[in-house]
Amino acid sequence: MTPIDADIVQAAVVTGLLALVTTLFLLVLSPPLAWWIARTASRWRPPVEALVALPLVLPPTVIGFYLLLAMAPSGPLGAIAQAVTGAPLAFTFAGLVVGSIIYSLPFVTGPLASAFRTMDTHLLEAASGLGVGPAPRFLRLVLPMHRKALVAAGVLGFAHTVGEFGIVLMIGGNIPGETRVLSIALFDRVEMLDYAGAHAIAGLLLVFSLAVLTFTYRWLRRGGPA
Amino acid sequence: MRLRIQGEIIRPTGFGLATDIDLDLDGVAALVGASGAGKSTFLRLIAGFEPRAPVTVEVDGERWQTAGSGLPAHQRSVGTVFQDSRLFPHLSARANLGFATRSRRPGTRLEFDEVVDFLDLGPLLEQYPHELSGGQRQRVALARTLLAPARLWLFDEPMSSLDPASKQEIAPYLHDLCRRHAVPIVYVSHSLPEVLAMADHVLVAADGWVSHVDSIGEFSTSFANPLLADEAGAVIDCRFKAFDSRYRLSELEFGAASLFVPGDLSTMGERILLHIPARDVSLATSRVEDVSILNRVDGVIDALNEQGESVLARVRCAEGQFLLARVTRRSVEELRLDAGVRVQALIKSVAVRTGAP
């Protein structure tokens, strides 16, 4: 029996899909948030920044625990989901996406905020001097000027979501084809003493992560405009 | 355009700038002053890049800024050319210009082809800023500003990295644009000949204070003029009198004297401004008749100003109008030149300025 069975393939598909959807959401949410963090003089910046960075230091199980409470049919997120879609959020793929967005948020927002902070404000002045308002300045000037940072942040967010475990464990429920991702499948195999399967999954994740990071760092170092 | 600016801006570094200006701006206003005198800050106030400054900025009665609030820069129809070109590095020259042509704010809009042709940008349009030379970048930046709709243009030394030939060509073009489209210009300059050649108003930044000088003539002959240097000269206000077709000379009235200028100036309107460099004016204490110099004007020395090797003499020739003459210290001693002495000013060259006062 080859160690890669249908269950692993299915878990890989769920994992890839989860990471993809999460990354797409993050690439919409993070740039404006990072821009605000990088540019604002508001006194709300430190608490907001801390909130975004929380997943970096908090055990994922803590976040998962609170998300589980929030996503329960009686919880605020769960109630909203129930009202809007007619389905609960906990133990669903959509719930996993919400958890993953929160979990990977600092990995996309942080690098973007650092990149935005170094932007030459004179160029923004030049654009406003031409009559270009704040939103088009951001879309036509800031984002295109930070293509590299955006790609790097997206790749990092994707890879980080692939490696997520604690939150999925709490809110996912390990449903095959719906919420069973590779890291959970790996945990299962080890529990069942299926070391061949565990090796296959672990090796897959290791090679994938290494390849993604190598690609990203090489690409970032390449010449040409940012 | 009525421009009113009043207030004070103080930076954490201790740098301060105050002003109280209320002026009817048409044509070109030159903004002069030593580096660090606050010229750029003054322009930034008008453009809207100092939104928090407690300064009142009013344009044609519209309040653009006052203590605590200001119209954002992108809503002010002001085009600014900066000292550095500030081109967007990730875009070609054409796409940089596209930022301006797509702008929808109100104001005068120039023809793309006209501006591009005049600044000779055709061959550069597909290039990126890092592929352009400093002068080329500045030309693209100038075009970008001219192509955005505007009611007022602010030029912060827009031609500092251009070669003298391009400068000679572009300065009159800007002056012409400003007249044709009735868009006033505030223009930072360090070059006295440039100011004397094209300014209609002069703003002086000195000691943290920006003030308006009443006339270009007064500015040109003031010893407080911060640009006073080798190229000093007077701008005088004359009236056209007659054109002598035999010698092709126009006769202009300057106080009680007549000045003769080559060429037919009858089409330039009644009032004509002349620029007379101080180095082209000699002084005589007795009347000189048998000399080839046509333009001889009687006057009284008003003041002397020592400038190293030479002395600048300010000569009152007509009511409130002065000439500047650059003479040697030896001449000052031998002819006993001093305030109050009657002299005859011998003028070797005059230049007719474009634009009326």
Side-chain angles (χ1 to χ4, degrees), chain B residues 3 31 40 122 287 317:
Chain B
L3 182 65
L31 175 56
S40 298
R287 290 188 67 90
C317 297

Side-chain angles (χ1 to χ4, degrees), chain B residues 15 32-40 83 157 188-190 205-208 226-227:
Chain B
F15 167 83
V32 302
S35 346
K39 301 185 295 295
S40 298
Q83 267 169 297
E157 296 179 60
V188 170
S189 181
H190 287 298
D207 304 323
L227 296 182

Side-chain angles (χ1 to χ4, degrees), chain A residues 23 26 53 73 90 95 132 166 169 186 218:
Chain A
T23 306
L26 283 173
V132 182
L169 193 67
L186 168 62
R218 177 185 297 165

Side-chain angles (χ1 to χ4, degrees), chain A residues 26-224:
Chain A
L26 283 173
L27 283 179
V28 174
L29 287 176
S30 280
L33 180 60
W35 183 246
W36 184 82
I37 288 174
R39 316 281 315 174
T40 186
S42 162
R43 62 202 172 94
W44 291 104
R45 186 184 56 78
V48 170
E49 220 178 343
L51 214 58
V52 171
L54 216 48
L56 291 176
V57 291
L58 220 53
T61 42
V62 173
I63 299 172
F65 173 65
Y66 284 121
L67 279 175
L68 184 63
L69 295 184
M71 287 178 184
S74 56
L77 287 180
I80 294 172
Q82 192 82 50
V84 174
T85 65
L89 211 46
F91 311 120
T92 64
F93 184 77
L96 275 196
V97 170
V98 173
S100 305
I101 289 172
I102 292 171
Y103 179 59
S104 294
L105 190 62
F107 288 85
V108 181
T109 308
L112 280 181
S114 317
F116 289 160
R117 239 173 249 136
T118 60
M119 179 166 179
D120 182 2
T121 52
H122 287 147
L123 296 177
L124 296 168
E125 278 184 358
S128 31
L130 297 171
V132 182
R137 276 204 297 274
F138 183 66
L139 294 174
R140 288 167 56 198
L141 195 60
V142 177
L143 292 185
M145 280 184 68
H146 293 88
R147 275 174 304 204
K148 281 199 166 184
L150 281 166
V151 172
V155 170
L156 211 58
F158 185 90
H160 190 246
T161 308
V162 167
E164 157 179 9
F165 178 73
I167 293 186
V168 189
L169 193 67
M170 299 297 275
I171 62 174
N174 202 7
I175 303 163
E178 167 89 10
T179 61
R180 179 181 289 168
V181 296
L182 281 174
S183 57
I184 303 285
L186 168 62
F187 186 70
D188 280 354
R189 296 303 164 105
V190 176
E191 291 254 275
M192 295 186 295
L193 301 178
D194 171 12
Y195 283 126
H199 264 305
I201 299 173
L204 197 68
L205 284 175
L206 180 68
V207 170
F208 168 78
S209 303
L210 203 60
V212 162
L213 291 178
T214 308
F215 161 79
T216 309
Y217 286 128
R218 177 185 297 165
W219 189 76
L220 279 178
R221 278 287 175 83
R222 230 173 38 189

Side-chain angles (χ1 to χ4, degrees), chain B residues 164-315:
Chain B
S166 311
K167 260 187 217 182
Q168 290 272 316
E169 209 178 325
I170 290 172
Y173 173 68
L174 295 178
H175 203 249
D176 176 54
L177 281 180
C178 143
R179 297 230 160 267
R180 256 192 302 150
H181 300 282
V183 177
I185 295 177
V186 181
Y187 185 110
V188 170
S189 181
H190 287 298
S191 152
L192 187 60
E194 198 174 83
V195 175
L196 297 185
M198 54 186 263
D200 303 298
H201 307 264
V202 181
L203 298 165
V204 178
D207 304 323
W209 176 257
V210 178
S211 54
H212 175 224
V213 183
D214 279 338
S215 76
I216 178 74
E218 180 190 325
F219 168 78
S220 68
T221 55
S222 160
F223 289 148
N225 171 353
L227 296 182
L228 208 61
D230 288 350
E231 297 109 338
V235 172
I236 57 170
D237 194 345
C238 306
R239 273 171 199 287
F240 179 80
K241 206 162 155 191
F243 173 61
D244 180 347
S245 56
R246 182 158 158 225
Y247 298 113
R248 296 204 55 78
L249 286 174
S250 290
E251 184 179 354
L252 308 181
E253 207 177 273
F254 173 53
S258 277
L259 296 178
F260 297 92
V261 181
D264 183 359
L265 304 182
S266 60
T267 57
M268 287 195 61
E270 201 195 352
R271 287 176 75 187
I272 291 172
L273 292 186
L274 295 182
H275 171 211
I276 302 179
R279 61 166 179 271
D280 289 344
V281 178
S282 306
L283 297 181
T285 45
S286 57
R287 290 188 67 90
V288 184
E289 298 295 344
D290 42 358
V291 59
S292 68
I293 294 173
L294 271 179
N295 292 320
R296 304 186 293 268
V297 179
D298 293 324
V300 178
I301 292 181
D302 177 72
L304 297 176
N305 183 271
E306 292 216 10
Q307 294 206 320
E309 306 294 297
S310 67
V311 176
L312 269 184
R314 183 168 60 204
V315 182

